[in-house]
Amino acid sequence: MTYVSRERASAPTRRALLVAGAGAGAALVAGCAPASAPPAPAPSGSGSASASPRAARNPTPGAMTLFKDPGYNFNGLTALGGSGVGSAEVGEVLTAVNTINKAGLSAQTYVKTFRALGDQLLKAPPGAPADQQTKRFRALRAAQYYGQALFFVLGSDDPGAEEQLYKAGRKAWDAFCGLCDPPPVRTTVPYGKTPLPVWFFRPDESSKPRPTVILTNGSDGQNVDMWTYGVPAALARGWNALVYDGPGQGQLLFVDQVVFTHTWEKVVGPLLDWLTARSDVDSGKIALTGLSMGGALAPRAAAFEDRISALVAMPGCVEPWLGFPPEIRQILTPDKAETNRIWNKEVVPELSPAVVALLKKRFEPFSIPAMLEARKGKLFTDFYTPAARIRAMSINSVIPRIKAPTLVLDYEDEQFYPGQSRRLYDKLTSPKDYVKLTAAQGAQLHCSPMAPQLHNEVVFDWLQKTLSGGG
């Protein structure tokens, strides 16, 4: 499909739609075929669809295939990867995988199994009464498993449980935080009419100024993902770590109903105001990382904030809209009424239930009406508004403004933003480094779901070197 005319729009093919997606820590269906088959063509950095020359190679061979469906498999691998930092347990995840496969893989079986696992972990374990450390890490794992269920709930038999599932995961996360030693400072930071919830982790409660990292999530990750991708690594090096929910994320999305904004500097600015007022923060050594779609959000903020001393994009993301295939992007025309006519009359009738569930998830962080309709089991009718919002999140024009030293990570078999890490790196004019994590390291796929510890080693070694060790 190369254009959309008023007379007849070509409906997106099922295969093309199944690669749609833009999001961190998140799973997307990568094609019609099982994970063992060649993946569907993915959008290139220029926006045109082209098959990878390595398309015949299976990116998750052997034991790396937990589920035949690549979207569910990606999520399962993400959960399994958290085991190294206590945010999952290998046996728990693999038992859940076996239970789901035995029952028949579906959104319903996935949600039911991981939700039950979260519920189980908030109860007392077998044997002696649980001490504080046991309760702490059982709560962290529960947060992970509720997050797994949350991701697929809109495709389940009970999509209206989305907010309830989010709150269950948030309660588990807060229980974990309350049992940390020292516990993170939990507060809110002003942002428009809706304050940002923050969790400020410290190695100890002294007032010694320390390097600090602000950990930015993607479009559908949860707080537990920021634990996996940074908090323990920061604390082990004597750094502070700030976790937060921004617009379109966590509490702001699921409870406060605030969607993403492209002006992420207005989100990070108040966080920096709060941090630089603290005696335990070295204001000359504040780093900013961005995971998944945060690889666009964090660079955008750094382009306008000279208080950022170092920046990491994981991966680099220049245009989130290019995370959707051309068949989806070309539905968007300059005219809202025409765009929505094409969507509702010519596209939606051709969509399978699996694709409908996928699109509900992909678009909800950009449209509250879309989210609320999805919770009723319905697909949004206004395609234009969220699509235009996603397209506006391009950082292409502001990259040259970034002054902070920047590390751009890339991943072999990157399925959501292929080519965009290199585009970001090439356009940067600040001091910069580029690292690609590979299948030979077990670190392939978006955000290296199977190798978050290696991921953290690369990121924090670079930060230590860039900010001269600190501490």
Side-chain angles (χ1 to χ4, degrees), residues 183-367:
V185 176
R186 287 182 283 179
T187 187
T188 58
V189 170
Y191 173 76
K193 297 180 180 179
T194 311
L196 309 176
V198 301
W199 297 262
F200 181 64
F201 291 85
R202 306 151 294 163
D204 58 53
E205 295 181 288
S206 72
S207 59
K208 178 183 178 181
R210 299 185 187 87
T212 299
V213 60
I214 302 172
L215 301 168
T216 302
N217 218 329
S219 70
D220 44 35
Q222 302 304 318
N223 299 134
V224 65
D225 299 316
M226 296 296 91
W227 176 266
T228 301
Y229 283 91
V231 176
L235 296 177
R237 290 164 174 79
W239 285 47
N240 303 315
L242 184 75
V243 175
Y244 69 101
D245 286 339
Q249 301 173 327
Q251 178 182 311
L252 267 75
L253 174 64
F254 295 115
V255 180
D256 300 328
Q257 299 186 8
V258 179
V259 297
F260 270 112
T261 175
H262 71 280
T263 55
W264 208 256
E265 68 275 12
K266 295 180 180 178
V267 179
V268 171
L271 300 176
L272 289 165
D273 292 341
W274 187 82
L275 286 171
T276 55
R278 294 185 61 88
S279 62
D280 54 0
V281 172
D282 183 340
S283 60
K285 294 181 179 180
I286 299 178
L288 177 65
T289 70
L291 185 71
S292 191
M293 200 182 79
L297 304 176
R300 165 76 194 203
F304 293 89
E305 266 294 349
D306 58 12
R307 293 177 288 180
I308 298 298
S309 301
L311 170 69
V312 186
M314 316 179 303
C317 178
V318 177
E319 298 183 71
W321 188 223
L322 293 184
F324 294 80
E327 291 80 1
I328 283 288
R329 300 198 308 271
Q330 291 172 12
I331 297 169
L332 181 62
T333 76
D335 182 80
K336 180 176 181 178
E338 174 63 2
T339 296
N340 287 339
R341 183 196 68 78
I342 294 167
W343 170 247
N344 290 297
K345 300 296 184 181
E346 302 182 23
V347 177
V348 171
E350 303 297 323
L351 301 180
S352 71
V355 175
V356 168
L358 174 64
L359 291 172
K360 288 175 184 176
K361 182 62 181 175
R362 292 272 59 84
F363 277 79
E364 72 169 352
F366 304 94
S367 168

Side-chain angles (χ1 to χ4, degrees), residues 79-128:
L80 198 61
S83 300
V85 290
S87 57
E89 176 80 293
V90 171
E92 290 169 349
V93 175
L94 293 182
T95 298
V97 168
N98 287 341
T99 299
I100 293 164
N101 282 327
K102 183 178 180 180
L105 176 63
S106 68
Q108 181 65 18
T109 58
Y110 198 98
V111 172
K112 179 181 178 181
T113 302
F114 274 105
R115 184 173 191 170
L117 186 51
D119 290 343
Q120 174 187 323
L121 285 168
L122 294 183
K123 299 175 182 176

Side-chain angles (χ1 to χ4, degrees), residues 27 72 75 106-116 144-169 220 222 253-254 353-354 356-362 364 370-378:
Y72 288 96
N75 245 42
S106 68
Q108 181 65 18
T109 58
Y110 198 98
V111 172
K112 179 181 178 181
T113 302
F114 274 105
R115 184 173 191 170
Q144 169 76 260
Y145 303 143
Y146 284 131
Q148 289 289 318
L150 176 64
F151 189 88
F152 291 104
V153 72
L154 292 181
S156 75
D157 295 346
D158 188 14
E162 184 179 53
E163 183 176 345
Q164 181 186 34
L165 255 180
Y166 164 74
K167 288 180 175 178
D220 44 35
Q222 302 304 318
L253 174 64
F254 295 115
V356 168
L358 174 64
L359 291 172
K360 288 175 184 176
K361 182 62 181 175
R362 292 272 59 84
E364 72 169 352
M371 181 178 76
L372 297 179
E373 285 297 291
R375 290 177 178 180
K376 297 175 184 176
K378 301 176 182 179

